[in-house]
Amino acid sequence: MKDHNADPVTDLVTGLVAALPEGRVLTDPDVTESYARDRTFVPPGKALGVVLAQSRDDVVATLRWASEHRVPVVPRGAGSGLAGGATAVDGCVILSLARMTRIRELSPADEIAVVEPGVITADLDRAAREHGLMYAPDPSSYEISTIGGNLATNAGGLRCVKYGVTRDSTLGLEVVLADGRVLDTGRRTVKGVTGYDLTGLFVGSEGTLGVITAATLRLRRAPVQVATVAAEFTSLRDAASAVSAIIAAGCRPSMLELMDRTTLEAIDAWKNIGLEPATRAMLIAQAEGSPDEMAALCDSASFVAEASTPEEAAELVGVRRLAYEAKERLGQCLVEDVCVPRSRLPEMISAVEEAAKRHGVTIATVAHAGDGNLHPVFIFDRGLAEPPPEVWAAADEIFRGALDLGGTLTGEHGVGLIKRRWLGLEIGPVAAELHLGIKQVFDPLNILNPGKAI
Amino acid sequence: MKDHNADPVTDLVTGLVAALPEGRVLTDPDVTESYARDRTFVPPGKALGVVLAQSRDDVVATLRWASEHRVPVVPRGAGSGLAGGATAVDGCVILSLARMTRIRELSPADEIAVVEPGVITADLDRAAREHGLMYAPDPSSYEISTIGGNLATNAGGLRCVKYGVTRDSTLGLEVVLADGRVLDTGRRTVKGVTGYDLTGLFVGSEGTLGVITAATLRLRRAPVQVATVAAEFTSLRDAASAVSAIIAAGCRPSMLELMDRTTLEAIDAWKNIGLEPATRAMLIAQAEGSPDEMAALCDSASFVAEASTPEEAAELVGVRRLAYEAKERLGQCLVEDVCVPRSRLPEMISAVEEAAKRHGVTIATVAHAGDGNLHPVFIFDRGLAEPPPEVWAAADEIFRGALDLGGTLTGEHGVGLIKRRWLGLEIGPVAAELHLGIKQVFDPLNILNPGKAI
């Protein structure tokens, strides 16, 4: 206690500092501000401070303190989220898990890894590959995103057309509950039905039910052969139809990515990829393992480029991974994430194009096309504090269009803050009530990432 | 109202009959008794009657009535369960979903089916195969089990070593809640993170959270090439080690089943399969798609028989599917279902053999070996009302052994009634409390399959 006349807020933070090992709490307003945002435009609230957790015990101490004082806690990983899930709320403590970077175990025999939430996704993949294995979920941001953030949003990625999303690779979790109690869910086996599926419930819950401090993740055998091809199309709809043809031909690609002209122009402007004037869309596809699958992939579309070396393949895929950064160079971005049954992909593409035209907004679309998952990225003026009304009007039309086609508001980014106003449209009032009931069971004081996701 | 002097129970049932279309409610005690059991020895309670639901509306009417009168409801499919999950409790109404057998939709383009809970698992698989697709989960009982029962227990099966369990094939559900409200969960897309994973929560909840009246299920492309091989071993442990070698060699089998000598003798006594005196164990394995995988499979063990026609393959797999019926011919069976990380399979096999020897009980083991999922089947005298103490003593040792090896009490059958006394050992007190909280949210009156699963 340095100052007996300190205000209540200072007293509060002093208590937090005292509850944790030295150096864990940052309170400098400029520093706090730098932890208060994810990758969206959403203006953050003012946080009391940042906890840089280095262990489960740090998380326990933080949540005990937060429960005692009813302080909101906003967990975060790398801040690469695209829905405002890690945006600070007023009076909160930001709980960063980014320093919990230990891979506690990697068992090639059981094909599992036990990792802390701050492990970078691509680092886990690289560690697995040393044993001929891989960690399948690979969001575009996987070189910067953390496993904890991936778990919070049930992240997908480029390979999930074949290997599924983060939940499909999650066998068990260590979670600190809102009151500081520690819970172990799930197991080290790929099968198991003892009790309710708490593991699945935490994955994708965007930090609203507990703070994940370790995860037992499933690894998979890394493919030995991969064919990578790229095809250019003179219309976006043709490219979407090629996707349907590839799937209908019985091919099971491990990657099937689509980019529209606006996206390609943004990449070309940045990296000079030699974009042809007639090219309106590009598909980048990979197939692995079976030569039959690769043949089916190549026969189904008029591909113009097949990578003949791993370096060429990496370059083709690299073009796709540049898409988001390239678009950020054009202005502020609102990245959307609708997903439709894959047979409806051409219709959804048309709906996006029509919405852009009708509302006079710039939309650059990439899609994990094999999953029917589109990312229409709205690009707007960097000077604006938030997306202008015409962007929201077009987004609204796209969200409703996706739901009409039997799809969802968000395939892999989460609801966060920016999609909450459409949530009820998708889940309906009965589910909404059950969500609040579940939240109440896990977090009765509503301190965990309040106002997000549900 | 036939009788104004009827007792309160008769009045109650009269109200149920009136709430439903004609012919839906059976009250004859002999008939009710025949619906009161699953495939376990567990003695059932006395039910008020049986509802044979033919539609979602029947389920809604039944649950509204049950909520109003606080009558327990025990949902059931085919009654092929092995944990007492569908066993009647005193004063309950048994709600049979077996007549809801419609496949509402089968979309080859989206590779999904929307089905009612009474559809027989193998019937859905056959319907999918007409389009070059398959429904992957295939519990041994799949010719008699229903999709609803599979969902309730998160059933596995022989193919799940490659394709995962029922939850992995479930995209969305239509559920009637305890109070009769209808909830739609999930989606028609393979990705989606809007809201909490209610779909995953219902799957495996053994009828304690709601009654599933339809499911949107994922279909998969049926393999075009399948290699089927069988190998005999002179010790069970050698067979278990061969399993580890197959996996370590990078093979991804689509089936990897192990049977011990006692099981093989039971099958031989029934079907005369020409069992050699020296054979102590048999592995039956399949690999599909890639010739590399098939070669890896065959190189890793000294297989003695490779099927050269689909008929021969069906015969080899058929031997495995006979295992349970063959054992039932020897006496009453208590079927256990432990699952361990697959590297621990040889240790678990030894633990089972030791428990059998120490307690002087007969255990015949089959295993979904690629998943580390063992079914030690305790065979005891048909004259006994329930398993004798030495069987429970051996079972207790096996359960604790599985947990010590990082495994689980139940890989795919569920907790039901018979494993509840060990549940706390696996999930611990914090999870147990959360389970009760979730149950309270979905079923505040505790009328849905009370006393089961949690």
Side-chain angles (χ1 to χ4, degrees), chain B residues 154-195:
Chain B
N154 190 20
L158 281 57
R159 289 194 286 252
C160 76
V161 62
K162 179 156 187 172
Y163 295 102
V165 292
T166 299
R167 188 180 288 123
D168 300 311
S169 286
T170 308
L171 300 175
L173 297 172
E174 176 189 274
V175 181
V176 182
L177 298 176
D179 58 11
R181 285 184 300 169
V182 176
L183 170 71
D184 287 303
T185 73
R187 49 197 64 86
R188 290 169 64 92
T189 57
V190 289
K191 295 166 82 173
V193 287
T194 310

Side-chain angles (χ1 to χ4, degrees), chain A residues 429-431 433-434, chain B residues 60 63-64 175-183 441-442:
Chain A
V430 178
E433 188 185 314
L434 293 168
Chain B
V60 168
L63 290 174
R64 279 196 187 141
V175 181
V176 182
L177 298 176
D179 58 11
R181 285 184 300 169
V182 176
L183 170 71
V441 169
F442 285 82

Side-chain angles (χ1 to χ4, degrees), chain B residues 39 128 150 174 224 359:
Chain B
R39 223 157 163 181
N150 296 170
E174 176 189 274
V224 281
H359 298 281

Side-chain angles (χ1 to χ4, degrees), chain A residues 2-18:
Chain A
K2 293 173 195 161
D3 181 356
H4 290 279
N5 300 317
D7 68 352
V9 169
T10 309
D11 276 356
L12 200 58
V13 175
T14 305
L16 175 63
V17 171

Side-chain angles (χ1 to χ4, degrees), chain A residues 191 196 208 342 373 435, chain B residues 111 191 196 208 342 373 435:
Chain A
K191 294 165 82 172
Y196 297 148
T208 61
R342 60 189 170 209
N373 187 191
H435 278 69
Chain B
E111 298 184 355
K191 295 166 82 173
Y196 298 148
T208 62
R342 60 190 170 207
N373 186 193
H435 277 69

Side-chain angles (χ1 to χ4, degrees), chain B residues 195-208:
Chain B
Y196 298 148
D197 182 23
L198 300 185
T199 306
L201 195 59
F202 281 109
V203 177
S205 68
E206 304 190 42
T208 62

Side-chain angles (χ1 to χ4, degrees), chain A residues 289-369:
Chain A
S290 148
D292 289 352
E293 286 193 356
M294 297 189 202
L297 181 68
C298 298
D299 290 350
S300 304
S302 325
F303 282 106
V304 292
E306 181 167 355
S308 52
T309 64
E311 291 70 31
E312 273 181 41
E315 203 172 311
L316 282 175
V317 178
V319 168
R320 163 64 185 86
R321 292 202 184 267
L322 290 173
Y324 183 61
E325 279 72 12
K327 288 186 251 202
E328 278 192 320
R329 295 165 59 89
L330 302 183
Q332 271 199 88
C333 294
L334 171 68
V335 186
E336 282 317 326
D337 177 37
V338 291
C339 187
V340 292
R342 60 189 170 209
S343 66
R344 315 304 292 269
L345 185 68
E347 287 161 272
M348 191 67 230
I349 295 255
S350 296
V352 171
E353 289 185 318
E354 280 159 28
K357 203 182 295 173
R358 181 161 28 246
H359 298 281
V361 297
T362 301
I363 302 181
T365 298
V366 299
H368 306 304

Side-chain angles (χ1 to χ4, degrees), chain A residues 15-299:
Chain A
L16 175 63
V17 171
L20 285 162
E22 203 176 330
R24 296 291 197 277
V25 185
L26 309 177
T27 53
D28 180 302
D30 289 346
V31 175
T32 303
E33 166 74 19
S34 73
Y35 282 88
R37 293 170 176 273
D38 65 3
R39 222 157 164 182
T40 55
F41 60 88
V42 185
K46 197 166 156 37
L48 300 180
V50 180
V51 173
L52 302 176
Q54 295 194 17
S55 69
R56 190 187 75 181
D57 286 350
D58 290 351
V59 176
V60 168
T62 304
L63 289 175
R64 278 196 189 141
W65 169 88
S67 274
E68 189 186 339
H69 302 286
R70 306 205 172 198
V71 176
V73 175
V74 177
R76 68 178 276 131
S80 56
L82 293 166
T87 304
V89 300
D90 277 333
C92 78
V93 159
I94 297 163
L95 175 55
S96 168
L97 289 311
R99 294 197 178 181
M100 291 183 65
T101 57
R102 212 152 49 94
I103 296 177
R104 291 188 189 166
E105 181 190 347
L106 199 158
S107 163
D110 290 328
E111 297 183 356
I112 60 173
V114 182
V115 307
E116 292 183 346
V119 171
I120 299 291
T121 315
D123 286 347
L124 173 58
D125 189 40
R126 279 186 282 267
R129 288 190 192 255
E130 287 176 22
H131 303 276
L133 301 171
M134 66 174 181
Y135 177 63
D138 64 335
S140 298
S141 56
Y142 77 155
E143 286 288 359
I144 56 165
S145 71
T146 63
I147 293 293
N150 296 170
L151 290 163
T153 55
N154 191 20
L158 279 57
R159 291 194 284 253
C160 74
V161 61
K162 180 158 187 173
Y163 295 103
V165 292
T166 300
R167 187 180 288 123
D168 300 311
S169 286
T170 309
L171 300 174
L173 297 172
E174 176 188 274
V175 181
V176 181
L177 297 176
D179 58 12
R181 287 184 299 170
V182 176
L183 170 72
D184 287 302
T185 74
R187 48 195 67 84
R188 290 168 64 90
T189 58
V190 288
K191 294 165 82 172
V193 287
T194 308
Y196 297 148
D197 182 24
L198 301 185
T199 306
L201 194 61
F202 282 109
V203 177
S205 66
E206 304 189 41
T208 61
L209 298 179
V211 177
I212 296 167
T213 50
T216 302
L217 301 174
R218 184 177 184 172
L219 305 175
R220 291 167 201 267
R221 198 148 287 274
V224 282
Q225 288 179 286
V226 179
T228 305
V229 286
E232 296 175 25
F233 296 84
T234 53
S235 92
L236 187 54
R237 217 180 148 103
D238 281 357
S241 300
V243 168
S244 305
I246 288 168
I247 301 285
C251 181
R252 184 100 193 278
S254 55
M255 183 181 299
L256 192 50
E257 296 288 315
L258 186 154
M259 289 178 282
D260 73 355
R261 174 84 195 176
T262 311
T263 303
L264 292 167
E265 281 177 355
I267 296 171
D268 196 47
W270 185 23
K271 296 284 181 177
N272 190 16
I273 57 169
L275 182 64
E276 298 290 336
T279 300
R280 307 295 307 172
M282 184 185 282
L283 271 183
I284 295 178
Q286 288 193 325
E288 31 182 71
S290 148
D292 289 352
E293 286 193 356
M294 297 189 202
L297 181 68
C298 298
D299 290 350

